[in-house]
Amino acid sequence: MANFEALVNRIASLDTNMYLNDFLLTWEKSDAEIAATFAVADALRNLRERNISTRIFDSGLGISLFRDNSTRTRFSFASACNLLGLTVQGKSQIAHGETVRETANMISFMADIIGIRDDMYIGKGNTYMREVSRAVLDGYKDGNLEQRPTLVNLQCDIDHPTQSMADMLHIIHTFGGVENLKGKKLAMTWAYSPSYGKPLSVPQGIIGLMTRFGMEVHLAHPEGYEVMPEVEEVAKQNAAKTGGKFVKSNSMADAFAGADIVYPKSWAPFAAMEKRTNLYGNGDFDGIKALEKDLLAQNANHKDWECTEDLMKKTNGGKALYMHCLPADISGVSCKEGEVEASVFDRYRVPLYKEAGFKPYIIAAMIFLSKMKDPAKALKDLETRDRQRIFQ
Amino acid sequence: MANFEALVNRIASLDTNMYLNDFLLTWEKSDAEIAATFAVADALRNLRERNISTRIFDSGLGISLFRDNSTRTRFSFASACNLLGLTVQGKSQIAHGETVRETANMISFMADIIGIRDDMYIGKGNTYMREVSRAVLDGYKDGNLEQRPTLVNLQCDIDHPTQSMADMLHIIHTFGGVENLKGKKLAMTWAYSPSYGKPLSVPQGIIGLMTRFGMEVHLAHPEGYEVMPEVEEVAKQNAAKTGGKFVKSNSMADAFAGADIVYPKSWAPFAAMEKRTNLYGNGDFDGIKALEKDLLAQNANHKDWECTEDLMKKTNGGKALYMHCLPADISGVSCKEGEVEASVFDRYRVPLYKEAGFKPYIIAAMIFLSKMKDPAKALKDLETRDRQRIFQ
Amino acid sequence: MANFEALVNRIASLDTNMYLNDFLLTWEKSDAEIAATFAVADALRNLRERNISTRIFDSGLGISLFRDNSTRTRFSFASACNLLGLTVQGKSQIAHGETVRETANMISFMADIIGIRDDMYIGKGNTYMREVSRAVLDGYKDGNLEQRPTLVNLQCDIDHPTQSMADMLHIIHTFGGVENLKGKKLAMTWAYSPSYGKPLSVPQGIIGLMTRFGMEVHLAHPEGYEVMPEVEEVAKQNAAKTGGKFVKSNSMADAFAGADIVYPKSWAPFAAMEKRTNLYGNGDFDGIKALEKDLLAQNANHKDWECTEDLMKKTNGGKALYMHCLPADISGVSCKEGEVEASVFDRYRVPLYKEAGFKPYIIAAMIFLSKMKDPAKALKDLETRDRQRIFQ
């Protein structure tokens, strides 16, 4: 791990505009801002490892608005808030429409940050986040809120920035620095799962971010499992700008061939998710049941999309870094047939847990950068303050 | 906003007895105590706006006992506790009867404050609060509890002091000081709602408090929507003491005529709520259903009790301050026919959110005054300590 | 209460190995470690009583994994965590099996402590705790977790160490010191309850701990209500080592005769609980219903096992200390016929609440000892730091 002073100097050298801004989509952030987020995450971890407290809030609330009650997201967000001194206050049901403005103001009186997870309905989650953002900005301007609460996207219908950023930081650490990634090949592939309707935000987040570092990003899935075309467009443009490549195919084997990193993971077809959103909107529950049945049947046609030892052998030196956002559907363990062979998963268990471990620091970095006017100075000052995290 | 030093001097000049005392009904508090609560709320806000931490607890618990899980009450209480350094620990179901003493002691080992919301059953909520108060006082005297947990009434069957005090502070700020309220007219009126059984504690809290400042408080409702006679008696006596007036009528138009402040809001008839309490007590669920039906039908006779633009024109200069505890039933928006016309509500949206924004500070002030022996000195010392709320 | 300096000196003189270790069963801890836990609990209480903050964590999480949502356990754990500066983050459903390792890692990124309550299934709870402990130790060794989260057993199928330790500290304070307990008689007896399936961990915890102090511990229950033989063996060996006695009988009167301390409390037969675990394992819900019926019928044969005034008269001077983990089944109050006569319970209400009040301090002491390398020095340093708990 790079030493603290180098990280601070790097942050100081980056031209960023994240103060009092939300973090909603990685492709809305400049390269400097993405780099600053990684560096702050590493710096916060470095301080914590030296038992130096990173509390920047003496009091303050982190509001969580989750449509689903996901244990992992809840603990990641709670860990990040705790690291910085915020207390989490949660609200599970989310009202869309007219009342968003009112609710957003009523829960934000002491809110420094709002983390939202709303990934279930295509066309809804990200839109909702922007509604909330506008509402609290108005509340701040009107003098109703003393502070401007900023938002962190904890997963929406389009992107999953805390996941993709944590994944990327894991890659950076594994390959010894972002400068070593040029020309590397990453395979983001669909994989079979017996469950239905997994969100698109993971593959979309991955192709939307990983194409920015000069890598070849290969998106592979069976026909009919297309992701949102807007995000593919983002990936294409990213690759064009950075000397990287964005390749699409319908072959898992092609994607794995010579890959340095593989990310095999199930998701639902974009078109089907759009259809589901409309069925919910119309309250057509019979239609939803029929759709679920169709999707499960469609999935079952592609049980050969499994990350096997044989496929892993086709990767660069047979040693590609296997990645997953967890939990994975492990064949013969968590389900009969799934995304990955048990022996592959087992071999990568420690790196997988490390991958997950970057997420709280990424979330904390996003919060930190939206609250500290001069983040490099703030980190330096925290080191100088030298307050113990655990009393010694 | 008055400056900090003036607020502190004002608090120092007031003769109060709030240390280690509960805040259950506004009319149990002296004028000095009411004034001190407003001043402390303003002073805490002033410190926060200057990024000066108001943490008076390095550790400690704020216990919430809520019969209903109200998001707004939960966030207000959580915000107030957070502002002062308390961690909230909640319990939703409330046992009445024999076990109150035991439960109260078991949850209070580290409790500095207990916030209770129990407004559903007439004759029960406030009584329950006093049971809990007695139990923890005994626990303290017996040496079971190191500290005496004090109580804040977050809404009971009789009063809603955190609402009425926040409302009053909003009025004071809007009119530029409590000294400008003499002779002003406030209309607390019933309004039609398609829902049934809204608590009486808001109108009761308003007439029980607002009659103390030399204003004319006009309570208007259709026949049959009487509030608790004991609280009307309080309002009468308040008015008599302060040179104000307490007027009753069955006409919304009369109440609005020349009013400086209007507070149109639905509530259930006191007699019906008493009946409902008894029906619940007897487990008579058929009786309750029948009662609900009757009450909805009774409400429907009074759809003309709506805060319209026409009515607003009858107020002083057509510009009365419109108030509501939120959420409001807005005609054509949240319901077909409701308490207020959409255009009226929209015009007052910003002041309404400001009104709500006073509540966390009022709750914090109640806690502060029950825990600081010399609140003026404590505020001054917090300013001198000058600890940053957000690291800078 | 012994003064602070004496407590610190006592702790310094004890040879303990609790740093970065779990607290799962009292009989895995040495006499010095048990004594240190009592002394730290008293020392933390002493500091708190002098308004000296005992926060040893500037940030950090205390994770609660509870199979049942017990209000009392939740508040005890929350109080202990709060006292030391940890924020509680809870998870209610507990997955056994394959996923334990993954879940344990995913929730532990910022976890300093994990409190687990899992007492329902014989053979499962303690085993689960050891699985979690192993998983987070691996996570720490692998570099996934920066800190090693340690575990506190908040109740399992075998032992209830936070209860028995709090009970013992209550006894020590009541009798004026552990040195006064030699030769005292403690009656741990079954008592009738109209409910079924109360956990065995309380009587097992009591006989497993109280036999270590030179007392005569008399375990009495009706035939068929045997506790786990392994724990009886522990009790026997404890008694042999400390010059105490461990006596068994089927007579409540014999147990009470001349007793200095009585602990009458219902529990389910060990064999039946084993049977229930297997029925659940097989999903045999008809079998479970039949078992419940049998157990209630079996219980009903022993309604004479009640702690009456007559029985209390048989104790030493008629003044034995009556103990219970609460809540108790009080005859004529919380049930028709129960564990204890109302007049007996009422007379001991204050000591019972005091008994319960030791638990948060015992939990805090367990956490403190697992996190402070030199606990005596840390306590001394906290006194020197002299940070106010409440601002004054």
Side-chain angles (χ1 to χ4, degrees), chain A residues 287-330:
Chain A
I288 290 166
K289 265 192 200 161
L291 178 66
E292 287 186 19
K293 216 180 139 187
D294 289 352
L295 287 170
L296 286 172
Q298 188 184 347
N299 274 9
N301 293 330
H302 306 292
K303 293 193 177 175
D304 54 326
W305 285 72
E306 185 192 8
C307 178
T308 59
E309 292 286 8
D310 279 351
L311 268 174
M312 287 302 289
K313 279 183 197 137
K314 294 185 195 299
T315 66
N316 189 1
K319 288 188 185 173
L321 177 67
Y322 167 81
M323 296 183 76
H324 200 285
C325 55
L326 302 179
D329 288 321
I330 308 163

Side-chain angles (χ1 to χ4, degrees), chain B residues 13-40:
Chain B
S13 75
L14 294 165
D15 184 22
T16 61
N17 183 28
M18 301 174 85
Y19 182 60
L20 297 188
N21 274 324
D22 304 327
F23 203 118
L24 297 186
L25 300 170
T26 61
W27 45 91
E28 290 175 340
K29 300 292 168 193
S30 71
D31 289 345
E33 289 167 349
I34 297 292
T37 308
F38 293 140
V40 170

Side-chain angles (χ1 to χ4, degrees), chain C residues 3-293:
Chain C
N3 81 31
F4 184 75
E5 194 157 336
L7 288 166
V8 169
N9 290 340
R10 176 149 176 64
I11 296 160
S13 75
L14 293 165
D15 183 21
T16 60
N17 181 28
M18 301 174 87
Y19 182 59
L20 297 187
N21 273 322
D22 304 327
F23 203 117
L24 297 186
L25 300 170
T26 61
W27 46 91
E28 291 175 339
K29 299 293 168 192
S30 71
D31 288 345
E33 289 167 349
I34 296 292
T37 308
F38 293 140
V40 169
D42 280 345
L44 291 173
R45 189 165 200 153
N46 178 293
L47 289 173
R48 183 174 160 94
E49 283 171 354
R50 290 188 281 149
N51 197 36
I52 298 174
S53 173
T54 53
R55 273 194 84 137
I56 53 171
F57 298 98
D58 195 51
S59 70
L61 294 180
I63 309 296
S64 68
L65 292 176
F66 292 178
R67 184 178 283 280
D68 323 89
N69 189 11
S70 149
T71 296
R72 285 150 201 258
T73 307
R74 187 159 63 85
F75 273 83
S76 291
F77 184 63
S79 296
C81 283
N82 177 263
L83 187 68
L84 302 177
L86 293 174
T87 297
V88 174
Q89 192 64 20
K91 183 167 157 50
S92 50
Q93 86 265 46
I94 297 182
H96 282 253
E98 166 59 26
T99 58
V100 170
R101 189 170 165 197
E102 191 165 312
T103 305
N105 272 277
M106 294 305 117
I107 63 177
S108 297
F109 296 125
M110 306 289 163
D112 288 297
I113 204 82
I114 302 175
I116 306 186
R117 182 171 191 259
D118 190 356
D119 63 319
M120 274 173 69
Y121 305 114
I122 287 290
K124 305 280 186 189
N126 199 269
T127 304
Y128 174 72
M129 292 177 192
R130 288 174 203 272
E131 273 179 67
V132 172
S133 178
R134 222 162 17 236
V136 293
L137 181 56
D138 285 350
Y140 172 61
K141 285 184 186 161
D142 295 337
N144 174 36
L145 308 176
E146 258 94 56
Q147 70 297 334
R148 160 139 165 64
T150 46
L151 269 67
V152 172
N153 173 358
L154 296 173
Q155 187 166 9
C156 73
D157 51 325
I158 304 176
D159 195 7
H160 193 344
T162 61
Q163 182 66 48
S164 64
M165 293 287 287
D167 290 342
M168 188 63 206
L169 190 51
H170 178 55
I171 292 174
I172 292 171
H173 279 270
T174 305
F175 287 84
V178 74
E179 61 278 8
N180 299 328
L181 299 180
K182 283 235 175 287
K184 291 279 183 293
K185 179 178 178 183
L186 181 152
M188 176 76 237
T189 84
W190 192 85
Y192 169 73
S193 160
S195 81
Y196 123 92
K198 301 217 172 190
L200 289 145
S201 52
V202 174
Q204 290 174 173
I206 295 297
I207 65 168
L209 177 65
M210 305 314 191
T211 43
R212 296 173 76 160
F213 304 91
M215 294 196 280
E216 175 182 336
V217 174
H218 191 126
L219 176 68
H221 55 74
E223 269 186 71
Y225 285 83
E226 281 71 25
V227 302
M228 291 175 78
E230 301 90 311
V231 185
E232 289 197 4
E233 194 51 41
V234 166
K236 257 182 246 173
Q237 290 180 8
N238 282 344
K241 265 188 272 175
T242 60
K245 279 189 199 166
F246 175 58
V247 181
K248 284 174 58 183
S249 81
N250 298 127
S251 160
M252 199 170 184
D254 285 358
F256 270 58
D260 300 283
I261 302 156
V262 295
Y263 205 131
K265 148 116 196 55
S266 187
W267 66 78
F270 167 56
M273 289 301 93
E274 245 186 340
K275 203 172 161 190
R276 186 171 67 155
T277 297
N278 294 332
L279 291 168
Y280 268 106
N282 301 329
D284 181 355
F285 293 102
D286 287 341
I288 290 166
K289 264 192 201 163
L291 178 66
E292 287 186 19
K293 215 179 138 188

Side-chain angles (χ1 to χ4, degrees), chain A residues 100-111 114 130-151, chain B residues 45 49 349-358 361:
Chain A
V100 169
R101 187 167 166 200
E102 190 164 313
T103 305
N105 272 277
M106 294 304 118
I107 64 178
S108 297
F109 296 125
M110 306 290 164
I114 303 175
R130 288 174 203 271
E131 273 179 66
V132 172
S133 178
R134 222 164 14 237
V136 294
L137 180 56
D138 285 349
Y140 172 61
K141 285 183 186 162
D142 295 336
N144 173 37
L145 308 176
E146 257 94 56
Q147 71 296 333
R148 159 137 165 69
T150 46
L151 269 67
Chain B
R45 188 165 200 154
E49 282 172 354
R349 200 180 281 274
V350 172
L352 283 164
Y353 294 174
K354 280 200 180 142
E355 178 186 352
F358 285 107
Y361 291 101

Side-chain angles (χ1 to χ4, degrees), chain B residues 43-215:
Chain B
L44 291 172
R45 188 165 200 154
N46 179 293
L47 289 172
R48 183 175 162 94
E49 282 172 354
R50 290 189 281 149
N51 197 34
I52 298 173
S53 172
T54 53
R55 273 194 84 137
I56 52 171
F57 298 98
D58 195 51
S59 70
L61 294 180
I63 309 296
S64 68
L65 292 176
F66 292 178
R67 185 178 282 280
D68 322 87
N69 190 11
S70 150
T71 297
R72 285 150 201 258
T73 306
R74 187 157 64 84
F75 274 83
S76 291
F77 185 64
S79 296
C81 285
N82 177 263
L83 187 68
L84 302 177
L86 293 175
T87 298
V88 174
Q89 191 64 19
K91 183 166 158 50
S92 50
Q93 85 265 46
I94 296 182
H96 281 253
E98 166 60 25
T99 58
V100 170
R101 188 169 166 196
E102 192 165 311
T103 305
N105 272 276
M106 294 304 117
I107 63 178
S108 298
F109 296 125
M110 305 290 164
D112 288 297
I113 204 82
I114 302 175
I116 307 185
R117 183 171 189 259
D118 191 356
D119 63 318
M120 275 173 69
Y121 304 115
I122 288 288
K124 304 282 185 188
N126 198 269
T127 304
Y128 173 73
M129 292 177 190
R130 289 174 202 272
E131 274 179 65
V132 172
S133 178
R134 221 160 20 235
V136 293
L137 181 57
D138 284 350
Y140 173 61
K141 285 184 185 159
D142 295 337
N144 174 35
L145 308 176
E146 258 94 56
Q147 71 297 333
R148 159 138 164 65
T150 46
L151 269 67
V152 172
N153 173 358
L154 297 172
Q155 187 165 5
C156 73
D157 51 326
I158 303 175
D159 196 7
H160 192 345
T162 61
Q163 182 66 46
S164 63
M165 293 287 287
D167 290 341
M168 188 63 208
L169 190 50
H170 178 54
I171 292 174
I172 292 170
H173 280 269
T174 304
F175 287 84
V178 73
E179 60 279 9
N180 300 328
L181 299 180
K182 281 236 177 287
K184 291 280 183 292
K185 180 177 176 184
L186 181 151
M188 175 76 237
T189 83
W190 192 85
Y192 170 73
S193 159
S195 82
Y196 124 93
K198 300 218 173 186
L200 289 146
S201 52
V202 174
Q204 292 175 170
I206 295 298
I207 64 167
L209 177 65
M210 305 314 192
T211 43
R212 295 173 76 160
F213 304 91
M215 293 195 281

